[in-house]
């Protein structure tokens, strides 16, 4: 029985578990490194339930007792640690390429994010943040595969401010951009092979006097050349593919800056939203 199997067992029985048992089960999955060191009593105290509830969880999952459940958590956690150590050894990675495929992908993403850390220009990020704060209207252009990142930014910004709009994956409508002014901000994603719509949108926004923010792979990409602010992700990285992780990480920096400077307005807006969410019973938790 491995950790993945344990997770599946918990999922299969989760609806029938008591609230206290659910707390213990979630702790086992999310913090196995701590769980392997705790007695049933200590685990119960950690999550705010009784020792009996922890033991009952073990029975509910088919174990003979807490010790058996903890033994398996301990073995799986140790084997996981050994796998991680093995992945860091180049000779080990060459032993079985298919076995370490996912580790290679993660290692590549780590290098891309490290590159991003070294190349970010804080002044340019703050310029982008200020442009988003001061805009009367924000229009986000994300076409093709970039739409996923565009939607993430759109949904996040909608929690923070008003008048945020998003293109479709296939392009933009003239009706959506005809009201752009010198007080508006347009943020556009553009990566190889550089869709024509991105340059058309950037050029139109520039002609209207709008601030334009480019999220792209290099400073002098087609859109980077016309944007007011150009922010790059995995520039100069020979990764063979474009990393959405680096894009989201860059957007996280922008959102963090936005939240830092607009804390009071964001708090007011989110209080209003929470009332609406409650009235609509939108969330389960």
């Amino acid at each position: 029985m491995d950790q993945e199997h344990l997770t599946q067992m918990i999922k299969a029985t989760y609806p029938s578990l008591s609230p206290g048992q659910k707390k213990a089960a979630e702790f086992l999955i999310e913090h196995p490194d701590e769980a392997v060191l705790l007695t049933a009593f200590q685990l119960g105290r950690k999550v705010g339930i009784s020792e009996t509830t922890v033991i009952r969880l073990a029975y509910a999952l088919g174990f003979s007792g807490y010790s058996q459940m903890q033994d398996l958590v301990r073995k799986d956690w140790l084997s996981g640690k050994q796998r991680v150590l093995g992945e860091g050894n180049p000779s080990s990675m060459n032993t079985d390429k298919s076995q370490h495929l996912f580790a290679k992908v993660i290692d590549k993403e780590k290098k891309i994010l490290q590159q991003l850390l070294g190349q970010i220009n804080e002044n340019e990020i703050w310029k982008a943040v200020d442009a988003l704060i001061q805009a009367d209207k924000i229009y986000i252009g994300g076409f093709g595969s970039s739409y996923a990142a565009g939607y993430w930014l759109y949904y996040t910004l909608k929690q923070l401010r008003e008048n945020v709009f998003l293109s479709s994956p296939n392009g933009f409508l003239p009706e959506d951009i005809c009201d752009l002014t010198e007080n508006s901000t347009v943020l556009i994603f553009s990566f190889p092979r550089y869709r024509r719509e991105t340059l058309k949108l950037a050029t139109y926004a520039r002609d209207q006097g709008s601030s334009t923010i480019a999220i792209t792979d290099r400073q002098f990409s087609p859109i980077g050349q016309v944007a007011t602010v150009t922010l790059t992700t995995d520039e100069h990285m020979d990764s063979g593919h474009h990393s959405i992780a680096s894009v989201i990480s860059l957007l996280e920096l922008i959102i963090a800056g936005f939240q830092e400077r607009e804390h009071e307005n964001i708090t007011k807006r989110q209080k209003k939203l929470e009332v609406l969410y409650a009235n609509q019973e939108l969330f389960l938790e």
Side-chain angles (χ1 to χ4, degrees):
M1 182 185 304
D2 57 23
Q3 187 70 28
E4 182 179 3
H5 192 195
L6 178 61
T7 302
Q8 296 304 318
M9 289 177 63
I10 290 175
K11 284 184 178 181
T13 58
Y14 195 81
S16 63
L17 298 178
S18 70
Q21 289 171 343
K22 289 178 180 178
K23 287 183 179 180
E26 290 172 1
F27 186 86
L28 287 174
I29 298 303
E30 295 172 5
H31 306 283
D33 54 334
E34 291 187 61
V36 298
L37 302 174
L38 301 176
T39 64
F41 173 78
Q42 291 170 330
L43 193 152
R45 186 171 59 179
K46 187 84 174 177
V47 299
I49 59 176
S50 67
E51 177 183 8
T52 303
T53 301
V54 176
I55 295 172
R56 285 176 179 169
L57 169 64
Y59 293 149
L61 295 178
F63 295 98
S64 62
Y66 177 75
S67 295
Q68 184 188 30
M69 180 173 67
Q70 188 184 44
D71 284 344
L72 288 168
V73 173
R74 181 182 293 110
K75 290 176 183 176
D76 296 330
W77 178 69
L78 289 173
S79 65
K81 293 279 286 183
Q82 290 170 350
R83 285 195 298 270
V84 170
L85 290 173
E87 287 162 2
N89 186 336
S91 61
S92 176
M93 293 187 70
N94 292 331
T95 303
D96 186 352
K97 292 183 179 180
S98 61
Q99 180 181 356
H100 298 291
L101 171 63
F102 300 139
K104 288 182 178 180
V105 173
I106 292 174
D107 185 59
K108 183 181 293 183
E109 294 294 340
K110 286 168 60 179
K111 291 178 180 177
I112 291 173
L113 292 177
Q114 190 63 40
Q115 168 73 12
L116 176 63
L117 178 63
Q119 75 184 36
I120 57 173
N121 184 321
E122 289 191 18
N123 290 333
E124 292 299 293
I125 292 176
W126 284 117
K127 285 181 184 179
V129 169
D130 289 338
L132 294 173
I133 290 174
Q134 296 165 10
D136 62 350
K137 173 181 180 178
I138 296 173
Y139 186 81
I140 300 171
F143 312 121
S145 61
S146 294
Y147 181 79
Y151 183 83
W152 184 92
L153 179 62
Y154 163 77
Y155 184 84
T156 304
L157 279 176
K158 289 283 281 186
Q159 313 301 306
L160 309 182
R161 60 153 293 161
E162 73 287 348
N163 296 330
V164 183
F165 305 90
L166 176 66
S167 71
S168 79
N170 300 318
F172 59 88
L173 295 174
E175 295 82 358
D176 289 337
I177 64 171
C178 69
D179 296 323
L180 292 176
T181 70
E182 65 275 7
N183 297 318
S184 305
T185 294
V186 178
L187 186 148
I188 311 172
F189 297 87
S190 183
F191 299 99
R193 299 169 57 194
Y194 309 118
R195 292 178 65 122
R196 292 183 182 275
E197 297 97 319
T198 60
L199 187 56
K200 291 179 181 178
L201 177 57
T203 302
Y204 179 82
R206 181 192 61 186
D207 292 345
Q208 303 311 303
S210 303
S211 297
T212 53
I213 302 170
I215 306 292
T216 186
D217 65 316
R218 55 191 178 92
Q219 286 290 328
F220 296 106
S221 66
I223 187 177
Q225 297 176 47
V226 301
T228 309
V229 177
T230 299
L231 302 177
T232 59
T233 54
D234 48 348
E235 189 169 4
H236 307 308
M237 286 292 293
D238 184 19
S239 60
H241 78 293
H242 185 72
S243 166
I244 192 170
S246 62
V247 179
I248 298 299
S249 295
L250 184 56
L251 297 180
E252 289 274 16
L253 300 180
I254 294 173
I255 293 299
F258 195 106
Q259 292 173 325
E260 174 71 19
R261 291 192 170 171
E262 284 290 279
H263 177 73
E264 288 188 17
N265 290 332
I266 291 171
T267 299
K268 293 177 183 177
R269 179 173 177 81
Q270 291 186 333
K271 286 181 179 179
K272 292 181 180 179
L273 286 173
E274 286 301 328
V275 173
L276 292 173
Y277 294 155
N279 290 339
Q280 297 183 22
E281 298 182 345
L282 193 60
F283 299 111
L284 291 172
E285 297 183 356

